[in-house]
Amino acid sequence: MIIKIFARPWTLEFIPAKYMPDNLGLTYQDEELIIVRDNIAPVSMADTIIHELLHAATDTLALNLTEQQVHQTATALTTVLADNLELRNLIFSLLNTDTADTQEEE
C-alpha cells in the first residue's frame, strides 16, 4: 500500500515471516519502504507499524532517536490508542474532517 510521510509517498508492505525471521518490521529510508511481517497479532502489528512510522518520520527529521526511544514511544502510543476507544475515535474523526474546515479556522 502507498502511504504518505511528510507528503512523500512511501510503500508499506506486509511479507511472510520466512523472508524476515529476525524482525517484526524494517524501515528502508532510501527506498521509502516499510515492511512488516504479516503473521503477527493485531495489536503487535499496530505497534510494529507505529514503530516503523516513527523510524521513517524521525529519520527524515534527523532526530537521531535510539532504537529504545522509538520502541518505547511506539509502545506508549499503541497502548494509549488501544486502551482508549473514545480517544481513538475522536482522533480519527478529527483527521477525517474536511480540509476546508481546517483552513477556515486559521
Side-chain angles (χ1 to χ4, degrees):
M1 99 178 31
I2 301 299
I3 62 172
K4 288 186 179 179
I5 299 174
F6 299 121
R8 296 190 52 83
W10 281 63
T11 302
L12 172 61
E13 292 183 2
F14 298 91
I15 65 169
K18 68 180 181 180
Y19 298 115
M20 194 171 55
D22 298 328
N23 295 290
L24 297 179
L26 291 170
T27 297
Y28 296 97
Q29 192 77 23
D30 292 340
E31 293 88 2
E32 296 180 332
L33 170 66
I34 295 171
I35 56 174
V36 175
R37 281 182 28 187
D38 66 358
N39 69 332
I40 52 181
V43 173
S44 292
M45 185 175 286
D47 183 65
T48 301
I49 292 168
I50 291 170
H51 178 108
E52 299 307 328
L53 290 172
L54 283 169
H55 273 305
T58 60
D59 290 353
T60 298
L61 297 172
L63 296 180
N64 301 318
L65 296 184
T66 66
E67 183 65 23
Q68 182 178 7
Q69 289 169 321
V70 171
H71 174 73
Q72 290 176 331
T73 302
T75 299
L77 288 171
T78 302
T79 302
V80 168
L81 292 172
D83 290 347
N84 294 282
L85 178 60
E86 190 173 359
L87 173 63
R88 188 169 68 231
N89 289 338
L90 171 64
I91 290 170
F92 288 125
S93 161
L94 293 169
L95 292 173
N96 288 325
T97 301
D98 188 85
T99 55
D101 295 340
T102 307
Q103 292 173 349
E104 288 177 13
E105 295 175 8
E106 292 178 355

